[in-house]
Amino acid sequence: MKSFYKKFFILMIPMALKELISSLVNLVDTIMVGQLGETSIAAVGIANQVYFLFTVFLFGMSCGAGVFASQFWGAGDIKNMRRVLGLNLLLSISLAFIFILGVFTIPKQIFQQFTADPKVMEEGMQYIFIVCIGYLATAVTTCYDMSVCCSENAALPFITRAAGLVINVFFNWIFIFGHLGVPAMGVRGAAIATIIARFSEMAIMLSVIYGKKLIQAAKPKELFHFHRDLVVRFFKAATPVILNEMAWAIGITVYTWVFSKISPEAMVVVTIVQNVERLMLVFFHGGGNAAGIFIGKAVGAKKYKTAYVYGKKFAVLSVGLALILSICFVLARPLILAPYNISPEVYQSAMQLLLIVAFMMNIKSLTFLLIVGVFRNGGDTRAAMFIDIGSVWLIGVPMVALFGLVFHAPLVITYGVMCTEEIVKVVVALFRFKSKKWIKNLVSV
């Protein structure tokens, strides 16, 4: 028992810290840009909605690849692990080009969905035209990150993201505010700093992988030589994951769009709260992803009873940690909002929403574990898709649209109503888990 938890935390802690650092990058950008005022916060917040959509789609592809990578790792099949990595690289880089093309062809249309303020639009487009180039580096880093973690080596992704955070903060300080002889560039400076950080992360990741000859250090022929059977199996399992993340991301974007219609200050509040929420949930995302590697490895090795027992242990652990963290989060709300230069009205609304976030943390930690960690890596990507998409589009989106656009309810009420989808999701997911129907070996032929 002690050995099990020791192995889990050895993998989980660096993965959680990696997620924490990734969220800190966006939070630090928001805080540092926030010194320029609410217009800049809203501009960067809207621009980051595009990046959010991109990273969610990217996450969907990498999760689909991760299902196979973790099971191939359990089966000891390194050749096919590399082929899955290559396929993921092709898809992810293509996705990056599609998003970059969209940013340069329809920027006004993107911003008009969230704001009518010309100043916000102007600053936002200055930011996004620069920062979108970093999508390419993010795509490559994410693919290798996934494969390295699935081989139970989470230290490298953590070190890579930590270096990226330090680089981002340093160049934010130089370019946003104008230091070391560089003129102050405002939001453009934040975008340049982010670009430098993203490509630095990619360079560090590839240098270590190929320098130390890790199993991901494959030649192009090993990466991109696919067998038809593998490609078919990959898309059969990965397509539900990709569709799941796309539909979920679009749903979250609809939520944000509705919130932006409530009041001019609502977008500022939501931008701050979303960044903080992502920061707080990283521990559970890291834990869920680490649990998924254990589950996938057990299923790939045909140890099905072990996979189910692992799932129960991880669920109990997740609920206990969430309760402790949510209590600390409630007490820390004034400290969390202290760095922001915002009006009393925005501050009060943010305090209310953060209280809801603290409560929902207990539920979201469990739904992420079951859907992403257990069901997907157990091979049941279809059920994970239906549970996730159904709760968002049949419960969350209609309720938010009804209260926000029809009843014109205050932001705090509309935001609270949005959370009903998570409650439905966790109930359905628990029934699915107990059925054991989620255990599906995808790599044995």
Side-chain angles (χ1 to χ4, degrees), residues 67-95:
V67 171
F68 279 88
S70 61
Q71 291 197 13
F72 277 131
W73 177 248
D77 190 343
I78 304 304
K79 285 185 178 180
N80 276 320
M81 268 194 84
R82 289 173 171 174
R83 288 168 179 158
V84 167
L85 171 59
L87 187 55
N88 194 26
L89 279 168
L90 286 178
L91 293 171
S92 298
I93 291 171
S94 300
L95 179 70

Side-chain angles (χ1 to χ4, degrees), residues 152-315:
E152 298 182 76
N153 176 8
L156 174 57
F158 163 62
I159 293 169
T160 300
R161 298 299 170 87
L165 175 61
V166 173
I167 291 168
N168 197 30
V169 171
F170 175 69
F171 283 103
N172 267 348
W173 176 72
I174 291 176
F175 294 127
I176 294 176
F177 306 111
H179 292 287
L180 302 181
V182 177
M185 300 183 192
V187 294
R188 288 182 298 145
I192 293 170
T194 300
I195 285 278
I196 294 171
R198 298 285 183 250
F199 279 95
S200 297
E201 289 172 353
M202 183 183 74
I204 294 168
M205 176 73 75
L206 294 177
S207 296
V208 174
I209 286 173
Y210 283 89
K212 291 192 172 184
K213 293 181 171 50
L214 303 183
I215 63 170
Q216 288 76 24
K219 297 176 181 178
K221 185 178 180 180
E222 294 175 295
L223 287 171
F224 304 115
H225 181 66
F226 312 126
H227 293 299
R228 182 179 179 275
D229 176 63
L230 175 62
V231 175
V232 171
R233 282 190 292 156
F234 175 88
F235 277 103
K236 185 178 179 180
T239 298
V241 181
I242 297 168
L243 292 175
N244 184 171
E245 293 300 325
M246 290 173 64
W248 178 81
I250 294 170
I252 298 301
T253 304
V254 171
Y255 292 158
T256 305
W257 175 75
V258 173
F259 296 148
S260 72
K261 301 299 178 183
I262 292 175
S263 71
E265 296 79 19
M267 192 64 215
V268 178
V269 176
V270 170
T271 297
I272 293 170
V273 170
Q274 284 180 341
N275 279 321
V276 174
E277 181 182 30
R278 289 166 192 163
L279 183 65
M280 298 310 298
L281 289 173
V282 295
F283 297 102
F284 305 107
H285 289 181
N289 289 327
I293 293 169
F294 276 74
I295 297 289
K297 184 179 178 182
V299 173
K302 300 182 181 180
K303 297 178 180 178
Y304 305 129
K305 289 183 179 179
T306 300
Y308 182 72
V309 172
Y310 281 175
K312 290 199 294 185
K313 289 180 179 179
F314 292 138

Side-chain angles (χ1 to χ4, degrees), residues 29 41 98 115 128 138 147 204 214 246 270 286 301 328-329 343-344 371 395 401:
D29 269 355
I41 295 177
I98 291 171
T115 183
I128 201 170
T138 300
S147 187
I204 294 168
L214 303 183
M246 290 173 64
V270 170
C328 296
F329 184 72
S343 66
I371 292 174
I395 306 296

Side-chain angles (χ1 to χ4, degrees), residues 392-414:
V392 171
W393 285 97
L394 298 180
I395 306 296
V397 169
M399 293 291 283
V400 167
L402 181 65
F403 277 77
L405 302 178
V406 179
F407 296 158
H408 301 290
L411 176 61
V412 65
I413 299 296
T414 307

Side-chain angles (χ1 to χ4, degrees), residues 353-410:
L353 262 62
L354 288 175
L355 192 61
I356 297 174
V357 167
F359 172 76
M360 292 305 301
M361 195 181 301
N362 297 279
I363 297 174
K364 287 187 175 184
S365 65
L366 189 55
T367 55
F368 186 90
L369 169 70
L370 293 174
I371 292 174
V372 177
V374 176
F375 297 163
R376 287 183 183 175
N377 287 276
D380 194 12
T381 57
R382 286 172 59 85
M385 176 186 70
F386 287 127
I387 294 170
D388 214 9
I389 293 178
S391 60
V392 171
W393 285 97
L394 298 180
I395 306 296
V397 169
M399 293 291 283
V400 167
L402 181 65
F403 277 77
L405 302 178
V406 179
F407 296 158
H408 301 290

